Amino acid sequence: MSTDRSTRTSTPMAPRASVRTAVVRRRRRTLLAGLALTAVLTGTTTGTALADSSPAPAPTGDGSTALCKRVPRIEKRIDRALTRLDAGAGTRGSVARLQARVDNAKQAGHDAVATYLQDRLDFRKKLPATLRQRKQDLADVRTWCKDNGITVGKG
């Protein structure tokens, strides 16, 4: 047994290294061939695209049907965001929690961090008003959908 171990440990690693080198070379060749093929195909496609040069098709509608289907989900998402923003300091994402972080940074003397967090807090304080406006606009969309006979929700 001991002779086998000594034989194993004294075996040079050269064959294994040459196999790795061959694999790397093969991969490199495959990569280069793929890049060359891509360049050729891109070159011929651009030439064809320049010859046709037709404008992209315009949208066929305003997406109102899809929006009407998404109204309930959008309302839920807005409500969740408003609930989170108005929650106490123990809730991640709330205005109160971010305000506490700003206060902690100022007390610790971390002016750069406090400035960064204060900018985020200013934005977050404006967010509930924006979300309430979106909720009102979404209520108008819901009314429009019903008036035009488009089903609201998955219906």
Side-chain angles (χ1 to χ4, degrees):
M1 274 287 189
S2 62
T3 55
D4 285 339
R5 281 187 176 176
S6 64
T7 319
R8 283 186 208 157
T9 55
S10 65
T11 308
M13 298 298 283
R16 186 175 254 170
S18 65
V19 170
R20 275 192 219 132
T21 306
V23 169
V24 169
R25 285 182 185 161
R26 190 176 322 125
R27 285 182 184 166
R28 188 178 300 150
R29 271 191 309 231
T30 304
L31 176 66
L32 291 175
L35 289 173
L37 180 62
T38 304
V40 168
L41 292 176
T42 305
T44 57
T45 308
T46 359
T48 309
L50 290 175
D52 294 340
S53 68
S54 59
T60 56
D62 60 355
S64 59
T65 306
L67 180 60
C68 290
K69 287 181 180 179
R70 291 193 318 263
V71 164
R73 285 182 281 170
I74 295 171
E75 283 177 340
K76 286 180 186 176
R77 198 165 68 224
I78 290 173
D79 289 339
R80 276 195 321 259
L82 285 170
T83 302
R84 183 178 60 245
L85 288 169
D86 295 335
T91 304
R92 291 179 63 186
S94 68
V95 173
R97 183 179 180 109
L98 190 53
Q99 180 64 55
R101 289 181 63 197
V102 169
D103 295 342
N104 290 342
K106 286 180 181 177
Q107 285 177 353
H110 302 153
D111 296 331
V113 174
T115 303
Y116 174 76
L117 292 175
Q118 184 63 49
D119 289 343
R120 286 181 58 193
L121 180 63
D122 293 341
F123 174 78
R124 196 169 290 179
K125 283 182 177 178
K126 294 175 190 174
L127 199 54
T130 303
L131 290 174
R132 286 186 182 94
Q133 180 60 46
R134 285 185 186 172
K135 191 172 182 176
Q136 178 58 43
D137 293 344
L138 198 58
D140 295 341
V141 168
R142 180 185 284 275
T143 304
W144 182 89
C145 292
K146 289 180 180 177
D147 290 346
N148 288 293
I150 300 174
T151 306
V152 176
K154 290 198 176 211

